[in-house]
Amino acid sequence: MSSSAVTLKNSEEIHKMRIACRLAAEVLDYITPHVVPGVTTDHLDRLCHDYMLEVQHTIPAPLNYAPKGHRPYPRSICTSVNHQVCHGIPGDRILKNGDIVNLDITVIKEGFHGDTSRMFCVGEISKQARRLCDLTYESLWHGIRAVAPGHHLGDIGHAIQTFAEKAGYSVVREFCGHGIGRHFHEEPQVLHYGKKGSGLRLEAGMIFTIEPMINAGRRDIRPLGDGWTIVTADHSLSAQWEHTILVTPEGFEVLTLSSGTPPAP
């Protein structure tokens, strides 16, 4: 991949990305008290959808999103529960005590996309599930702290993979972070595994997501028949966290921060 395929954002575009990304994080703040035992994932989707449209005046980017080879995505957020790795479609599933769920939010504001996700614990969860969620968040931050001008994309993946595998977990390889801006998915692709010093050299003005998917068991995955939902092949738990990152002249800026964002570990 050449750096020419990557769009460096100018100051006006960065300003608009800051706004879109903060709004995406604020959707997660808003929905947090509603993620409780007994609620359906469809209800969470409707609440988020209405909040985006009526309160924020943003557009939910996933709704009817249809990359080549996929049917249009039918909801406004992704809700991936327990062994669901990513792209879980909200529906009549009722969250129960002990579940873990990733809510993935992407909003469009004034033509720019903000993208972030968090893990939520439903009621009282097991120590094993808590450890997976916490260590996945830590792995995200290991990747974020590898971001600086002159560093390489492989440094991010190496930091995540090394930390996660040392903890006894596996890293999903079929999905990755991505550039983002006027388009939902842009170059570069940001792998969550790799070798130090490999891949594209980072430059100030790049904006991309880092969103590791970490499995408690093997890294193998499989798709469900709905054409979107991805699950672990061995039915083990999976967790994911996501931030959108700006490469700055000094290092990095996390754009998807809000008052409810968990502190960096």
Side-chain angles (χ1 to χ4, degrees):
M1 181 205 315
S2 69
S3 58
S4 61
V6 177
T7 308
L8 299 182
K9 273 59 175 182
N10 62 35
S11 57
E12 182 186 354
E13 292 169 325
I14 290 169
H15 172 69
K16 290 185 174 179
M17 283 297 292
R18 284 192 180 110
I19 294 170
C21 287
R22 176 179 51 79
L23 289 167
E26 287 176 356
V27 177
L28 290 170
D29 293 356
Y30 160 73
I31 202 64
T32 295
H34 300 281
V35 185
V36 293
V39 72
T40 64
T41 53
D42 198 47
H43 182 64
L44 297 178
D45 176 75
R46 284 200 307 275
L47 288 173
C48 289
H49 176 91
D50 292 348
Y51 184 79
M52 291 178 209
L53 267 63
E54 297 168 12
V55 178
Q56 295 186 330
H57 307 294
T58 58
I59 298 167
L63 185 59
N64 297 317
Y65 178 67
K68 191 175 181 181
H70 285 268
R71 65 189 76 168
Y73 188 80
R75 295 290 188 271
S76 294
I77 70 172
C78 297
T79 54
S80 303
V81 185
N82 294 336
H83 74 293
Q84 294 178 344
V85 176
C86 61
H87 304 156
I89 301 175
D92 56 9
R93 180 171 187 157
I94 298 171
L95 296 181
K96 63 184 189 300
N97 187 64
D99 283 343
I100 58 172
V101 56
N102 175 274
L103 301 187
D104 195 344
I105 305 293
T106 309
V107 303
I108 307 170
K109 184 71 169 182
E110 294 185 15
F112 287 84
H113 293 70
D115 190 3
T116 186
S117 82
R118 288 180 202 163
M119 292 302 298
F120 292 85
C121 303
V122 184
E124 291 296 317
I125 66 168
S126 69
K127 286 182 180 177
Q128 292 87 345
R130 173 82 59 186
R131 181 173 183 266
L132 174 65
C133 292
D134 290 348
L135 280 161
T136 301
Y137 191 51
E138 270 194 75
S139 78
L140 166 65
W141 275 94
H142 277 275
I144 290 171
R145 290 180 177 126
V147 173
H151 290 192
H152 291 80
L153 281 176
D155 301 344
I156 299 170
H158 176 79
I160 292 168
Q161 180 183 13
T162 302
F163 178 77
E165 291 181 353
K166 188 177 179 182
Y169 297 130
S170 58
V171 180
V172 172
R173 301 194 177 203
E174 291 84 353
F175 294 91
C176 59
H178 52 89
I180 188 167
R182 294 182 187 275
H183 301 283
F184 198 160
H185 296 93
E186 301 178 354
E187 293 294 344
Q189 294 192 351
V190 183
L191 304 182
H192 302 118
Y193 62 95
K195 293 182 179 178
K196 257 185 157 178
S198 68
L200 188 70
R201 187 182 294 271
L202 303 181
E203 297 178 58
M206 289 180 176
I207 297 181
F208 49 77
T209 70
I210 304 176
E211 46 184 298
M213 287 149 255
I214 308 295
N215 296 347
R218 299 196 314 273
R219 67 177 179 86
D220 308 274
I221 59 172
R222 63 180 180 86
L224 295 187
D226 61 23
W228 281 100
T229 307
I230 303 296
V231 299
T232 55
D234 61 5
H235 218 76
S236 63
L237 290 178
S238 187
Q240 180 188 21
W241 295 80
E242 175 182 13
H243 273 312
T244 299
I245 310 299
L246 165 68
V247 184
T248 67
E250 298 78 29
F252 65 84
E253 178 184 340
V254 181
L255 300 181
T256 38
L257 296 178
S258 61
S259 60
T261 304

